[in-house]
Amino acid sequence: MEVAQRYSIAWKGLKNGRHDFRFEVDKALFEAFESTEIKDGRCEVSVGVDSSEKQLTLDVGITGHVVVECDRCLEDCRVPIDFEGQLVVKFSDEVHEYDGEVMWMLPGEDRVELAQYIYESIVLSLPYQRVHPEGECNPEMLERFRIVSDREFAAIEAAAEGAGERGGGEWAKLAALRERMEAEGADGEEGEGGEEPGGAK
């Protein structure tokens, strides 16, 4: 895989001691891993390698941004990435599972492939909530997906209490919410020159 070659370090030619490497991350990395949440991105990866006869210790730093879907308005949103981590590469004649922190290499392998580690580190550093800075969301999309305000909810609860005799409980609240939304929809249609309730022009 071309991406694997792009983010790899030939360790067999390294002398014992410290060595520094840099990589540039772009959309190709996220496409290679068929990411469903990261659409694009630009990041710089710095790798400091401490080489010894027994193992390699990699100090990895990733800075930049990725493009994801905003949780509020569903439009593209740039999220900053700032990651620091350490990967230890050990050598063994036996096959071991990679666990995200320790990578095992067989004697015949001469390159440390970092594509998966870099991709996973970027994904793990994404915030739980991915949103635009306040005021930068698409207002049309916000209106379409807007959340009922506290004031509106209080009005809905009041209407539900008045309808308590007809059903009561949560069902009454849902009925009141539905009535309110239908009323708002009807108002919008009238404002656009549509038909009034009852079919009158």
Side-chain angles (χ1 to χ4, degrees), residues 1-2 39 52 78 115:
M1 184 167 83
E2 184 181 339
K39 300 180 178 182
S52 70
R78 280 174 55 136

Side-chain angles (χ1 to χ4, degrees), residues 15-103:
K15 296 180 180 179
N16 289 351
R18 180 81 173 186
H19 307 271
D20 294 314
F21 299 88
R22 287 191 178 278
F23 303 97
E24 296 290 332
V25 169
D26 56 24
K27 188 176 184 177
L29 177 68
F30 310 117
E31 289 179 339
F33 284 93
E34 300 180 351
S35 175
T36 57
E37 51 186 346
I38 301 178
K39 300 180 178 182
D40 199 353
R42 292 288 183 277
C43 296
E44 183 176 285
V45 182
S46 61
V47 183
V49 181
D50 280 317
S51 176
S52 70
E53 294 176 1
K54 293 184 178 180
Q55 67 179 40
L56 305 173
T57 303
L58 283 65
D59 294 314
V60 182
I62 306 173
T63 57
H65 75 274
V66 295
V67 177
V68 296
E69 188 177 86
C70 175
D71 291 338
R72 265 199 303 246
C73 70
L74 306 185
E75 299 240 321
D76 286 355
C77 171
R78 280 174 55 136
V79 175
I81 298 297
D82 189 1
F83 170 85
E84 288 187 5
Q86 189 175 82
L87 176 68
V88 176
V89 180
K90 296 185 177 182
F91 310 108
S92 173
D93 292 331
E94 299 178 9
V95 176
H96 296 267
E97 288 286 330
Y98 164 65
D99 65 2
E101 294 181 356
V102 178
M103 181 185 293

